[in-house]
Amino acid sequence: MRFNSTCPQSEVGQEGLMGFIYQGPIISITYVQLGILKTREEDATVSFEIMDVYLNGFETSLESAVCSQERHNDAAWKMYLERRSIVLAFLRTNLSLHLLKRHRKRIELLKKSSFYIEILPKHLALGDQNHLMLPTTMFQLIDPWRYQRMKKVGTTQTKIQLLLLSDLLEQLERGREELVYYLETCNMIAFLSRWNLIKQRLSNLSELMDSFLATLVPGKLYIKHRLVPDVRATKLPHIRLVLSTKMPVVFDRKESVAYKDWATLKWFSTSQQSQHEQYELCFRLLDHGNQKERGHSGILTVTSNTCEIQNLLSDRAYKFTIRRAETYSLVYEQWHDSITLKTETNPDQDMDSSLCEPEG
């Protein structure tokens, strides 16, 4: 094996820089080529190291972004659940179906009730029975014409109150349906985006409920004129006018029974009954057959909650109606309870009819 220098003698000392040539049968490599290969390997190594650093930084940034997004999603979900629970709590308490149904029944009961004007001293509360002890001379001091005008005002105010109650309850029912719709159809993003609208709706419905509850109780009667002429004002204590309500009078269906030629009727009211309260019991024959039977009707004034009516026709249907006797303070009453009872058949009539039947 021989090594020959490819450089002049003067450059032999620089062979480390210029290299030398190995000549053999198989391999011929220069140091220059080895240096280039080495440099390329080093460059590749550096490039891979830079890429690793870049990839590691990208992965870290990606993980941070994912974690940040997850934290954001968790916070949004928590907020959604909290605000959803606020709406659910409002629906279960202020606007529950049971509560709205109870209010609906109460309105229907008020529509069947009787409304009165009460004249009270200013120191007495509504419902206080002590006002019954007021001297009757006070009513003699009130101008009858002005009092009749006030009764018309009371009638109008009562009608407006009943209409307003129905309208407020319908708004509450629609508001509940709207809130239920948001809960059932909106996802998290849609629900949170509408939260300001939902929050305002909750506030409005809360105010509506307060107005409804305040309207349920009849209150002060709004008057524009004095009931007592100025010349009589010094003789009368300070008074105020209010609207009061009495629950409807209803027949006791179990205790009201018709027999052969008489019937016993019983009724009740959930209102506190006065000892001196009077009722009017009306009855009339429904299926009258001749002129004589058409007179089978009448009106009875009763001071108790039971009554027996005698001398009725057998095997006939009678309609009975009960109401409170009308008083000077009544301003509104649109409903009276009625019941239809049929008297029993007279055995003698059955026997006579069977004797008159032709033989087959």
Side-chain angles (χ1 to χ4, degrees):
M1 180 179 296
R2 291 183 300 119
F3 291 89
N4 293 326
S5 176
T6 61
C7 299
Q9 185 64 32
S10 61
E11 297 178 0
V12 171
Q14 299 177 1
E15 60 184 7
L17 297 173
M18 303 299 295
F20 63 90
I21 300 175
Y22 161 76
Q23 293 180 348
I26 300 174
I27 303 174
S28 177
I29 303 176
T30 64
Y31 278 155
V32 175
Q33 291 173 334
L34 287 173
I36 293 173
L37 290 173
K38 184 177 179 180
T39 301
R40 289 177 177 174
E41 290 177 359
E42 290 176 352
D43 293 342
T45 302
V46 173
S47 298
F48 281 122
E49 290 177 354
I50 295 174
M51 184 175 294
D52 289 340
V53 173
Y54 174 78
L55 290 176
N56 290 335
F58 177 76
E59 290 177 357
T60 303
S61 300
L62 183 60
E63 290 176 358
S64 300
V66 171
C67 292
S68 177
Q69 183 65 32
E70 289 178 353
R71 287 194 297 269
H72 176 74
N73 291 340
D74 291 342
W77 182 255
K78 183 178 179 181
M79 182 185 297
Y80 166 68
L81 293 180
E82 290 176 351
R83 293 179 175 180
R84 180 183 173 88
S85 65
I86 293 175
V87 178
L88 286 172
F90 186 82
L91 290 175
R92 290 169 182 166
T93 54
N94 300 56
L95 282 183
S96 67
L97 283 177
H98 173 73
L99 184 63
L100 293 179
K101 288 180 180 179
R102 191 173 68 182
H103 287 326
R104 174 65 64 183
K105 290 182 179 179
R106 187 164 182 182
I107 291 179
E108 296 302 322
L109 191 61
L110 280 175
K111 290 180 178 180
K112 297 178 180 179
S113 300
S114 304
F115 291 80
Y116 299 85
I117 286 182
E118 290 206 35
I119 303 176
L120 299 177
K122 289 190 175 182
H123 66 276
L124 288 183
L126 180 62
D128 195 330
Q129 297 298 314
N130 291 331
H131 72 277
L132 297 176
M133 303 303 295
L134 291 175
T136 56
T137 55
M138 182 181 68
F139 298 101
Q140 297 175 358
L141 296 174
I142 295 176
D143 187 288
W145 182 79
R146 294 182 182 181
Y147 185 74
Q148 291 300 321
R149 288 185 60 184
M150 286 312 307
K151 288 182 64 174
K152 292 181 179 179
V153 173
T155 301
T156 303
Q157 186 170 320
T158 300
K159 292 179 179 180
I160 293 175
Q161 177 189 1
L162 294 176
L163 291 174
L164 181 60
L165 282 173
S166 299
D167 180 68
L168 289 173
L169 184 57
E170 289 177 0
Q171 292 185 53
L172 291 172
E173 291 171 343
R174 289 196 301 268
R176 175 184 168 80
E177 293 175 357
E178 183 179 348
L179 294 179
V180 171
Y181 172 81
Y182 288 141
L183 292 176
E184 292 181 348
T185 61
C186 292
N187 56 22
M188 181 188 71
I189 298 176
F191 187 87
L192 292 179
S193 65
R194 298 183 182 180
W195 175 245
N196 289 334
L197 174 63
I198 296 174
K199 186 170 61 174
Q200 184 63 41
R201 198 75 179 99
L202 291 174
S203 177
N204 293 340
L205 289 172
S206 181
E207 293 177 359
L208 277 176
M209 179 59 75
D210 292 340
S211 299
F212 176 82
L213 295 176
T215 310
L216 270 177
V217 182
K220 181 179 178 181
L221 189 63
Y222 299 98
I223 58 177
K224 296 182 179 180
H225 307 283
R226 296 176 60 91
L227 287 179
V228 182
D230 294 335
V231 294
R232 308 177 188 175
T234 57
K235 302 178 182 180
L236 192 68
H238 294 291
I239 62 172
R240 60 193 176 98
L241 297 183
V242 295
L243 286 174
S244 64
T245 308
K246 291 184 179 180
M247 294 295 103
V249 182
V250 182
F251 278 114
D252 187 333
R253 261 61 181 176
K254 294 182 179 180
E255 299 295 331
S256 299
V257 184
Y259 299 96
K260 184 180 65 174
D261 57 355
W262 63 285
T264 177
L265 288 306
K266 187 175 182 179
W267 55 88
F268 64 91
S269 174
T270 57
S271 296
Q272 183 178 359
Q273 297 183 5
S274 172
Q275 297 179 354
H276 306 286
E277 192 165 25
Q278 293 185 337
Y279 303 93
E280 289 182 356
L281 177 62
C282 305
F283 68 97
R284 64 184 180 90
L285 183 63
L286 293 180
D287 50 351
H288 48 75
N290 51 51
Q291 187 67 28
K292 183 179 180 181
E293 291 181 351
R294 293 179 182 177
H296 266 260
S297 61
I299 301 176
L300 303 175
T301 301
V302 187
T303 55
S304 64
N305 63 339
T306 58
C307 181
E308 291 185 359
I309 302 179
Q310 304 289 338
N311 301 321
L312 300 179
L313 298 177
S314 60
D315 195 24
R316 293 289 192 275
Y318 285 85
K319 182 178 182 179
F320 302 90
T321 304
I322 188 66
R323 55 166 294 178
R324 290 186 178 89
E326 185 171 346
T327 64
Y328 67 95
S329 60
L330 178 66
V331 296
Y332 185 82
E333 186 181 57
Q334 293 294 311
W335 183 86
H336 309 125
D337 192 24
S338 298
I339 186 175
T340 300
L341 299 175
K342 187 175 182 179
T343 55
E344 298 175 353
T345 304
N346 191 334
D348 296 336
Q349 291 180 354
D350 291 343
M351 185 178 298
D352 293 340
S353 61
S354 61
L355 291 175
C356 294
E357 291 179 358
E359 296 181 0

